Amino acid sequence: MDPRPQGVMMAPELTAAEKPPEKHLREAMPAPILETRKLSIFYGRNEAVKKVSMPVPERRITAIIGPSGCGKSTLLRAFNRMNEFIADVSMAGEVLYRGRNLYGKDVDPVEVRARIGMVFQKPNPFPKSIFQNVAWGPHINGLVPRRELPELVERSLNQAGLWGEVKDRLGESGLSLSGGQQQRLCIARALAMQPEIILMDEPASALDPVSTDRIEDLLFELRERYTIVIVTHNMQQAARVSDYTAFMDLGVMLEFGVTDQVFTRPREKRTEDYVTGRFG
Amino acid sequence: MTAGEWRGVPNLARRHWQSLWLRRLFQALTWLGVMLLAILLFRIARQGAVWLDWDFLTSFPSRFPARAGIKSALAGTLWLIGLTALISVPVGVAAAVYLEEFSRAGRLKTFIEVNIANLAGVPSIVYGILGLAIFVRGIGLGRSVLAGALTMSLLILPVIIIAAREAIKAVPQSLRQGAMALGATRWLTVRHHVLPGALPGIMTGVILALSRAIGETAPLIMIGALSYVAFVPEGPMDGFTALPIQIFNWTARPQQEFHGLAAGGIIVLLAVLLLMNAAAVAVRHRFQRRR
Ligand SMILES: Nc1ncnc2c1ncn2[C@@H]1O[C@H](COP(=O)(O)OP(=O)(O)OP(=O)(O)O)[C@@H](O)[C@H]1O
Ligand SMILES: [Mg+2]
């Protein structure tokens, strides 16, 4: 549970100060678990992502920031082949997962999505019970035998910081939860798949400040065990939670680096203007 | 103008007046519809009620009004509708799932879509001719209840497909994405999330379609459903008659008593319809509570 007094949560500066930036400062960047090579993505003829090459360091949090429409979500969806459900999408370049091209002929997209989890901007729990929401993914993928599902569900809800709030109502509909709880349920659902990587597309943008805070706390707890890529519009959030930051503009990746560097000593003028709020 | 002062709104009185009179007009039209239906029901009830008893339901048709009943027609209709549902619901829902969830956009899909939409508007007698040519004669099913059910299925398939597609479309895209992002295949997503979400809408469409089938007379006459049947179908290959045919026959007779019998038949037909609707509402209710 959250030890901090309720009133403090509304003030972002205080919250930021209270979270010790125990980041991996000045470390050598861990080997990337995921990497794009000259990745271009087109909607019809419109090139939404232009020759992006970026690493996603293992067991770190990488934030993707940039003005609206610059291609962040498109890039994120390329990491688990979710772009394939959009009509008229084509791509060039590669996405390497542990050195293997995710878009290779021998790769099954269903398997990719089973291994690389995703949390969406708007909480989208299934209209089923809380238990089933979490258990469904592992169940259909045969990750654990049926009798071990309850244990897995408890563990996942615990990791997502939701167990205490829902342990007496696992049979109730996932839709009966509040927005913030629903989003944590969706995170638990992704965690239950025991993925190595979790992709999050503005996971807190539809939430109130208190719920946002809880999600950020959660990211802190998850970062030691998972690789997380998070798209966010919230500069403070990117600065607070991420180890590495990628800045995109008009489909191009302008800058990638350690978060503190990107925010305090950006190499590009454009990045500086954006992170200091001069445009965007 | 000083702050806080009311500003006049032009034409306000006129717009209120317009609103009031339109409201009265719409109210009157609504009531007109309800009244016409009520009068119809009342006349039929008055005419048919005296004939309605257990004997009426359990007797075969007869030349003597006092002994005539609708046993064979009621059984025939139940057989017909049951078989029609068994055939048309799986086929219709499968087609809708294919079109919405699996097929790719293209000329073929557009062609299929346009055809389905057009088929929904084809007069039922045409389906009767088709059924006669294909089922009764073509594959030699004869004038069986199965041939009737296949013909009725053709007739209502477009309606079921269109309704099921709308219901499937109404399932939010975010649910599909959530399922797919967990490593579900298309089919598992459809099976566990899309179909349950679409079920209430599909049920409504199915019931509407079956309600239409239950009252259809023309295609049955076309395929030669029998008019005097003194037995109950015991299998899909048996001959049959149906309520609308029986009613039609009775109304065609000169004797007043047979008109009363027809009214009784109509009441039974309406009762069957009502039961089907109630069943649909119950199913819908159950599924909506579960979420
Ligand atoms: N389904 C789509 N079909 C066609 N074009 C699209 C589609 N989705 C996005 N685009 C286009 O691709 C570009 C990048 O979109 P994307 O959603 O990736 O931006 P974003 O950085 O996530 O923006 P935001 O911050 O507003 O979410 C935009 O120009 C957008 O118009
Ligand atoms: Mg986006």
Side-chain angles (χ1 to χ4, degrees), chain A residues 43 46 48 66-75 77 86 202 233:
Chain A
Y43 292 107
N46 168 30
S68 185
C70 70
K72 305 180 296 290
S73 301
T74 307
L75 176 63
R77 285 196 297 264
I86 301 170
E202 303 185 43
H233 270 143

Side-chain angles (χ1 to χ4, degrees), chain B residues 65-204:
Chain B
R67 277 202 252 146
I70 54 160
K71 182 172 180 181
S72 50
L74 181 59
T77 282
L78 294 180
W79 263 98
L80 185 70
I81 290 306
L83 279 179
T84 303
L86 277 181
I87 297 164
S88 61
V89 173
V91 176
V93 173
V97 165
Y98 170 72
L99 287 173
E100 283 304 317
E101 301 287 332
F102 291 98
S103 73
R104 285 174 192 276
R107 282 218 199 112
L108 181 66
K109 183 171 174 180
T110 316
F111 177 76
I112 295 176
E113 281 171 344
V114 169
N115 265 296
I116 290 173
N118 283 337
L119 283 176
V122 171
S124 57
I125 188 87
V126 177
Y127 285 100
I129 297 171
L130 197 68
L132 179 66
I134 298 180
F135 303 125
V136 177
R137 301 208 177 126
I139 54 177
L141 293 177
R143 303 165 164 195
S144 62
V145 61
L146 181 61
L150 284 168
T151 307
M152 282 297 182
S153 296
L154 282 189
L155 177 75
I156 65 171
L157 259 177
V159 181
I160 292 186
I161 294 174
I162 291 169
R165 286 188 68 179
E166 290 307 317
I168 289 171
K169 258 189 219 151
V171 175
Q173 201 59 30
S174 62
L175 271 190
R176 293 186 184 82
Q177 290 182 350
M180 300 291 223
L182 290 170
T185 54
R186 275 268 177 204
W187 166 244
L188 280 180
T189 305
V190 168
R191 163 82 187 71
H192 291 267
H193 300 291
V194 177
L195 280 182
L199 194 75
I202 293 177
M203 285 296 295
T204 308

Side-chain angles (χ1 to χ4, degrees), chain A residues 63-67 70 72 232 235 238 245-248 262-263 274-275:
Chain A
I64 303 178
I65 59 172
C70 70
K72 305 180 296 290
T232 176
M235 289 306 114
T245 296
F247 172 66
M248 286 182 79
V262 173
F263 276 87
Y274 184 71
V275 299

Side-chain angles (χ1 to χ4, degrees), chain B residues 27-48:
Chain B
Q27 232 168 15
L29 289 175
T30 309
W31 277 108
L32 186 68
V34 173
M35 287 303 289
L36 282 177
L37 187 68
I39 291 171
L40 197 72
L41 286 178
F42 176 74
R43 285 204 43 188
I44 287 167
R46 206 182 50 178
Q47 226 187 337

Side-chain angles (χ1 to χ4, degrees), chain A residues 67-229:
Chain A
S68 185
C70 70
K72 305 180 296 290
S73 301
T74 307
L75 176 63
L76 193 75
R77 285 196 297 264
F79 288 143
N80 69 339
R81 296 188 65 165
M82 286 294 284
N83 275 327
E84 277 158 47
F85 302 118
I86 301 170
D88 221 16
V89 171
S90 57
M91 22 177 303
E94 291 182 320
V95 181
L96 301 177
Y97 171 66
R98 295 193 181 290
R100 190 159 162 233
N101 188 5
L102 278 185
Y103 290 82
K105 287 231 167 0
D106 55 334
V107 176
D108 181 348
V110 170
E111 195 189 341
V112 171
R113 291 181 211 116
R115 288 200 185 194
I116 303 179
M118 189 166 219
V119 176
F120 299 82
Q121 174 171 4
K122 229 176 110 225
N124 58 347
F126 301 130
K128 298 180 182 296
S129 73
I130 293 170
F131 182 90
Q132 284 174 316
N133 260 281
V134 184
W136 192 70
H139 175 62
I140 58 161
N141 284 283
L143 287 192
V144 298
R146 190 182 278 268
R147 75 193 124 76
E148 285 171 29
L149 280 174
E151 200 188 316
L152 178 64
V153 168
E154 178 176 348
R155 185 154 24 101
S156 308
L157 285 169
N158 238 324
Q159 280 185 318
L162 192 60
W163 177 250
E165 288 153 75
V166 302
K167 63 172 188 284
D168 299 322
R169 47 190 287 207
L170 290 177
E172 279 176 41
S173 166
L175 295 175
S176 68
L177 298 172
S178 75
Q181 289 174 325
Q182 288 188 10
Q183 193 62 304
R184 277 179 285 146
L185 180 62
C186 292
I187 294 175
R189 183 171 84 179
L191 291 174
M193 288 294 294
Q194 305 166 349
E196 285 184 287
I197 305 172
I198 303 176
L199 310 171
M200 300 186 171
D201 194 348
E202 303 185 43
S205 68
L207 306 181
D208 65 298
V210 178
S211 307
T212 301
D213 231 68
R214 303 226 36 186
I215 303 268
E216 286 182 19
D217 287 347
L218 183 57
L219 291 177
F220 267 96
E221 281 160 33
L222 298 177
R223 65 202 287 231
E224 293 301 333
R225 267 167 300 164
Y226 299 91
T227 306
I228 296 173
V229 185

